[in-house]
Amino acid sequence: MMNNNNYVVIMAGGVGTRFWPFSRSNNPKQFHDVLGTGRTLLQQTADRFENICPKENIYIVTSIDYVDIIKQQLPFLADSQILTEVIRRNTAPCVAYACYKIGKQNPDANIVVAPADHIILKENEFEKRINIALEASASGDVLVTLGISPTRPDTGYGYIQYEQSDSEVKKVKTFREKPNLELAKEFVASGEYVWNAGIFIWSAKAIKEAFAKNSPALHAIFSACDNVYFTEQETDYINEVYQTCESISIDYAVMEKADNVHTVLGNIGWSDLGTWKSLYEVSDKDDNENVIDGSTMLYGVKNCIVKTPKERLVVIQGLEGYIIAEYDNVLMICEKEQEQFVKSFVADATKVGKEFV
């Protein structure tokens, strides 16, 4: 039976610059059907929690600019379930806002916090891992994070070192920032590290105590809002105080300082889908190792990812290891191994015209 004390907070305010030109400031990647499944990343994320919490317990934190698109994609949400940020302040303020608001409504709330733009291919396994974490957070003063068993020494993820034990819920020793390749190889070889998926599970009580102890300024701001949550004054009041919040991640503000952090390990087919290369890695390939989404004629093309409008025929000859992406007035052709330049492309395109970003 579903537990009415379970809540989900989906963070859907990012711009996803590294996925340009597909991801735009007015329509970022979480609102796109990136995998060609007929559901956007946001919709897939909400679907994932169908058996974990009632729909009225799902909250979305997002930029004020994306409210209409969220209502379109998740029509079951009430206005009070969409929490808006008037200004981007990284993940700690948005997590605090959602968790303090939920805690006001239900002091016994048990909360999962998840990004809107990750993919999880093993849904059933994910559900099992989340339920193990929710059981732990409901019964004790712990902050739980989902740890992903690493499949390679990746330099794009943060790592979590945990204590070896037979328990499903393991004590975290340290958080490590994105390492260089040598260090990443050491982490993976040691067998003591997992990737930090940025998916968190805790009770409202535990996270409020953690903010009070480790990030008192944010605790002061959002506990002072107690009288305005679920009232007509909420939006105006939050808009005002949000601008005074420090821009800081939940990892820096709380997780790396707290001494009650645990991890539940999972092999859930996870990707944070942060880049074109990560989309290439999780997608089905043809006989020439190409990932194709669009109407194409390919000649001697290998190891490429092509994502173009279905109504446009794209003819490509002789390319190997490239990203070919077209969306809404921008075409980008870039070597897959040089995708770090995408951020520079966006910065330069901004100078050409706002309509391109």
Side-chain angles (χ1 to χ4, degrees):
M1 199 174 109
M2 198 179 292
N3 188 331
N4 287 333
N5 286 337
N6 287 351
Y7 288 75
V8 172
V9 173
I10 299 173
M11 298 182 287
V15 178
T17 309
R18 290 178 297 170
F19 237 97
W20 186 81
F22 197 60
S23 190
R24 302 293 183 88
S25 54
N26 65 347
N27 193 8
K29 65 175 176 180
Q30 60 268 28
F31 306 124
H32 289 269
D33 174 11
V34 173
L35 296 173
T37 61
R39 301 287 280 167
T40 67
L41 291 176
L42 173 68
Q43 289 170 325
Q44 286 188 315
T45 304
D47 294 347
R48 206 168 283 145
F49 293 100
E50 206 172 6
N51 301 325
I52 288 167
C53 81
K55 278 186 168 166
E56 60 271 20
N57 289 7
I58 293 178
Y59 284 76
I60 314 288
V61 193
T62 190
S63 161
I64 208 155
D65 302 331
Y66 305 145
V67 172
D68 289 343
I69 198 167
I70 286 170
K71 284 182 170 179
Q72 233 172 356
Q73 294 195 2
L74 301 176
F76 64 84
L77 292 171
D79 287 353
S80 61
Q81 290 170 266
I82 304 175
L83 313 189
T84 55
E85 303 172 283
V86 71
I87 187 170
R88 287 191 175 85
R89 281 289 184 256
N90 213 316
T91 51
C94 81
V95 167
Y97 177 17
C99 291
Y100 280 63
K101 177 172 175 166
I102 290 167
K104 164 77 173 176
Q105 186 188 50
N106 180 356
D108 296 323
N110 209 12
I111 304 166
V112 182
V113 176
D117 54 358
H118 290 187
I119 66 160
I120 286 159
L121 301 174
K122 300 178 183 175
E123 302 277 3
N124 292 344
E125 189 56 28
F126 171 76
E127 209 174 287
K128 276 185 208 161
R129 302 283 105 194
I130 290 291
N131 281 321
I132 289 166
L134 281 166
E135 217 172 284
S137 60
S139 55
D141 176 23
V142 291
L143 309 175
V144 186
T145 179
L146 220 51
I148 306 298
S149 314
T151 52
R152 59 185 181 278
D154 201 299
T155 59
Y157 301 138
Y159 285 71
I160 299 166
Q161 185 184 27
Y162 62 92
E163 289 178 8
Q164 306 293 319
S165 76
D166 294 333
S167 168
E168 293 266 33
V169 186
K170 301 177 191 300
K171 183 101 170 70
V172 168
K173 282 188 191 174
T174 55
F175 280 85
R176 302 294 291 264
E177 294 307 306
K178 295 172 183 176
N180 60 34
L181 188 59
E182 284 313 302
L183 206 49
K185 284 178 179 169
E186 282 176 36
F187 288 172
V188 174
S190 75
E192 289 181 19
Y193 290 84
V194 283
W195 289 334
N196 181 3
I199 298 170
F200 306 104
I201 303 94
W202 43 53
S203 66
K205 196 168 165 239
I207 190 61
K208 283 163 90 168
E209 282 173 9
F211 270 112
K213 190 174 171 186
N214 302 300
S215 191
L218 285 176
H219 172 71
I221 289 168
F222 290 101
S223 51
C225 299
D226 246 15
N227 297 329
V228 299
Y229 294 132
F230 300 99
T231 71
E232 285 176 6
Q233 289 80 47
E234 180 179 338
T235 306
D236 288 345
Y237 192 86
I238 292 289
N239 285 354
E240 203 174 305
V241 299
Y242 217 84
Q243 298 179 61
T244 68
C245 292
E246 182 185 0
S247 181
I248 186 170
S249 73
I250 188 67
D251 289 302
Y252 278 134
V254 172
M255 303 303 282
E256 292 181 13
K257 300 175 188 169
D259 54 11
N260 59 338
V261 180
H262 289 67
T263 186
V264 169
L265 310 190
N267 176 7
I268 56 175
W270 171 86
S271 167
D272 74 344
L273 219 55
T275 61
W276 284 106
K277 206 170 159 191
S278 63
L279 176 59
Y280 175 82
E281 280 162 5
V282 299
S283 300
D284 293 334
K285 323 265 188 309
D286 67 12
D287 294 345
N288 292 309
E289 292 297 301
N290 295 311
V291 172
I292 308 296
D293 183 0
S295 305
T296 57
M297 288 165 54
L298 305 180
Y299 303 88
V301 174
K302 294 176 184 169
N303 193 24
C304 288
I305 177 164
V306 182
K307 196 164 178 61
T308 52
K310 299 268 191 290
E311 67 276 9
R312 188 190 299 283
L313 179 63
V314 178
V315 184
I316 307 167
Q317 188 275 327
L319 287 185
E320 185 169 348
Y322 272 79
I323 303 159
I324 299 101
E326 183 187 355
Y327 183 79
D328 188 27
N329 72 15
V330 177
L331 167 66
M332 180 187 77
I333 301 167
C334 171
E335 286 177 273
K336 197 143 51 79
E337 293 305 318
Q338 302 295 328
E339 69 169 0
Q340 71 272 19
F341 282 113
V342 173
K343 280 198 164 182
S344 310
F345 300 160
V346 175
D348 292 342
T350 309
K351 296 168 197 163
V352 180
K354 282 216 166 100
E355 68 275 21
F356 299 119
V357 293

